[in-house]
């Protein structure tokens, strides 16, 4: 299958969870033998129109990110490429309109990958939501937001984030701990509720690790000290993927309290590593969707319930791997994209 991905700004210029998911999808398709090209603003220092990185081909539509030039040139380039599917990012919304024109010339369906972190509002948001053949979102939370922006139910499709199951099994579990938390330590982390829950258990024996770094780290470290639990809470910093997996495999439970999660990717990794999931419900987080029908989990609404869940989690056996989450492996999830593509072509 030949797939044209469209993103004027790629991760080389504007890195974000949504852009990383978009390019990961393109790379996974390419690795499975499909012909994939990302049409983008040229970011490489060369006179060549195309550039290949890690097996993924980028096609420079314009030098840099001049939006009007990008949108003017894109339709003809897509038509010449003759893709089976055009797959675009929703922002800027003008590129969706240009991608739609190109997909019509190529007689190919237009998919838009809407992660939820795109800077869209008002009329542009409505444009991006109403023009595609299908809109892919990572969660029901984002799907609802897209429908509120103007997409209809038949137009939207949830395909979750994916993880590398083989990578989990390639690392050894770290030293056992009771609870782990992972999120950038910013204004959306809501680590306060996690720490207050731990403080409720001050008189009991437990250990906790916080993974993540960010502008509020010093403030959170001071809060741990104020709560008199600093001797049992370790701030591990950002940690690379392998180190995170080692910690997750050694941990008994993973606590999710962040205010905003378009998809709770770290929670998913932790569940696949055998952790019990403890999720505090937040209106702007999709984390509760992952554990909705999962026995080794708790949904809570405040620090006291969180503390109770940590205690109750002790009734479950410790695991370092749970194969119930194998359906989220890269290969399984990319097949969902291919099924969606084929459905629109038939």
């Amino acid at each position: 299958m030949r797939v044209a991905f469209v993103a004027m700004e790629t991760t080389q210029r504007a890195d974000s969870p949504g852009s990383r998911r978009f390019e990961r999808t393109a790379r996974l398709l390419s690795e499975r033998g499909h012909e994939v090209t990302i049409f983008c603003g040229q970011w490489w220092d060369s006179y060549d129109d195309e550039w290949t990185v890690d097996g993924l081909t980028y096609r420079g539509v314009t030098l840099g990110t001049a939006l009007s030039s990008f949108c003017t040139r894109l339709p003809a380039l897509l038509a010449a490429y003759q893709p089976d599917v055009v797959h675009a990012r929703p922002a800027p919304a003008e590129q969706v309109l240009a991608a739609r024109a190109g997909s019509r010339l190529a007689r190919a369906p237009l998919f838009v990958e809407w992660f939820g972190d795109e800077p869209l509002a008002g009329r542009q948001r409505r444009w991006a939501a109403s023009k595609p053949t299908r809109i892919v979102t990572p969660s029901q939370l984002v799907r609802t937001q897209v429908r509120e922006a103007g997409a209809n139910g038949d137009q939207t499709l949830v395909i979750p984030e994916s993880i590398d199951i083989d990578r989990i099994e390639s690392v050894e579990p770290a030293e056992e701990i009771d609870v782990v938390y992972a999120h950038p330590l910013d204004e959306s982390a809501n680590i306060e509720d996690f720490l207050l829950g731990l403080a409720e258990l001050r008189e009991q024996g437990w250990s906790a690790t916080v993974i993540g770094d960010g502008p509020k780290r010093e403030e959170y470290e001071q809060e741990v000290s104020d709560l008199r639990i600093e001797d049992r809470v370790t701030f591990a910093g950002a940690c690379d993927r392998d180190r995170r997996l080692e910690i997750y495999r050694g941990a008994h439970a993973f606590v999710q309290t962040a205010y905003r999660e378009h998809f709770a990717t770290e929670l998913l990794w932790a569940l696949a590593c055998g952790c019990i999931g403890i999720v505090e419900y937040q209106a702007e987080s999709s984390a509760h969707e992952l554990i909705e029908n999962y026995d080794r989990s708790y949904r809570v609404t405040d620090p006291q319930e969180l503390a109770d869940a940590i205690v109750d989690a002790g009734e479950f056996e410790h695991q370092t791997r749970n194969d119930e989450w194998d359906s989220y492996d890269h290969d399984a999830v990319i097949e969902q994209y291919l099924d969606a593509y084929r459905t629109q072509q038939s």
Side-chain angles (χ1 to χ4, degrees):
M1 188 176 294
R2 180 178 293 177
V3 186
F5 280 72
V6 177
M8 185 179 71
E9 293 189 324
T10 57
T11 52
Q12 289 80 10
R13 292 187 181 274
D15 190 21
S16 69
S19 60
R20 290 195 294 274
R21 167 182 164 100
F22 186 73
E23 290 175 50
R24 182 174 63 249
T25 301
R27 185 168 292 107
L28 289 169
L29 286 169
S30 179
E31 289 172 355
R32 288 178 65 121
H34 298 279
E35 185 177 339
V36 176
T37 297
I38 297 181
F39 290 79
C40 60
Q42 185 170 325
W43 47 265
W44 53 94
D45 186 16
S46 169
Y47 291 109
D48 297 325
D49 289 338
E50 292 189 350
W51 199 252
T52 301
V53 178
D54 296 331
L56 192 56
T57 299
Y58 295 81
R59 172 71 162 84
V61 177
T62 56
L63 290 172
T65 53
L67 180 58
S68 59
S69 297
F70 184 89
C71 293
T72 299
R73 297 196 64 204
L74 181 65
L77 290 174
L78 289 177
Y81 185 64
Q82 295 184 322
D84 298 302
V85 175
V86 177
H87 198 141
R89 291 221 68 203
E94 291 85 351
Q95 82 178 0
V96 176
L97 299 178
R100 185 192 187 199
S103 70
R104 287 183 166 181
L105 289 171
R107 297 184 177 179
L110 172 63
F111 279 67
V112 161
E113 189 77 36
W114 198 306
F115 189 77
D117 59 358
E118 297 82 7
L120 288 168
R123 182 174 61 180
Q124 289 193 332
R125 186 176 176 83
R126 292 192 296 273
W127 283 353
S130 61
K131 304 304 180 184
T133 310
R134 298 300 297 272
I135 299 175
V136 179
T137 69
S139 62
Q140 290 291 347
L141 173 76
V142 180
R143 184 186 189 191
T144 298
Q145 294 170 350
V146 171
R147 292 176 68 175
E148 290 171 349
N152 61 57
D154 293 336
Q155 191 182 3
T156 56
L157 172 68
V158 175
I159 298 180
E161 282 277 72
S162 62
I163 57 177
D164 187 345
I165 296 298
D166 289 341
R167 189 167 184 178
I168 292 174
E169 297 176 345
S170 72
V171 303
E172 292 297 320
E175 181 181 353
E176 289 190 17
I177 56 172
D178 294 293
V179 191
V180 61
Y181 169 99
H183 192 275
L185 300 184
D186 54 21
E187 71 285 348
S188 71
N190 188 30
I191 196 174
E192 295 92 339
D193 282 4
F194 172 56
L195 299 179
L196 289 172
L198 293 177
E200 292 287 336
L201 306 174
R202 189 181 292 109
E203 303 305 320
Q204 302 187 32
W206 51 263
S207 56
T209 294
V210 174
I211 297 175
D213 210 341
K216 300 195 72 173
R217 177 171 175 170
E218 288 187 10
E219 180 181 326
Y220 293 141
E221 289 177 330
Q222 182 59 51
E223 185 170 352
V224 165
S225 178
D226 294 343
L227 291 169
R228 295 180 287 114
I229 55 174
E230 69 273 17
D231 58 328
R232 286 182 283 176
V233 178
T234 299
F235 283 81
C239 297
D240 63 18
R241 175 54 58 203
D242 285 348
R243 180 56 183 157
R244 288 177 182 237
L245 296 181
E246 292 169 356
I247 294 171
Y248 295 163
R249 297 195 76 183
H252 190 67
F254 182 99
V255 171
Q256 175 83 36
T257 58
Y259 289 128
R260 290 185 296 277
E261 287 284 10
H262 305 298
F263 185 91
T265 306
E266 293 303 319
L267 172 62
L268 173 60
W269 279 107
L271 294 172
C273 287
C275 287
I276 295 152
I278 301 174
V279 175
E280 184 179 54
Y281 176 80
Q282 304 292 345
E284 295 184 46
S285 171
S286 69
H288 61 279
E289 296 177 23
L290 269 178
I291 63 165
E292 193 169 5
N293 298 304
Y294 185 54
D295 290 338
R296 288 171 57 88
S297 68
Y298 298 87
R299 285 186 288 178
V300 303
T301 58
D302 58 45
Q304 182 59 63
E305 289 186 1
L306 192 155
D308 293 341
I310 291 174
V311 173
D312 292 344
E315 300 298 319
F316 288 99
E317 66 173 342
H318 180 80
Q319 294 183 353
T320 60
R321 175 80 171 86
N322 192 308
D323 59 12
E324 288 189 45
W325 302 95
D326 287 7
S327 60
Y328 289 83
D329 185 58
H330 289 322
D331 285 343
V333 171
I334 207 65
E335 193 61 41
Q336 295 184 45
Y337 279 97
L338 290 168
D339 286 345
Y341 292 163
R342 294 175 187 127
T343 297
Q344 292 304 316
Q345 289 180 308
S346 60

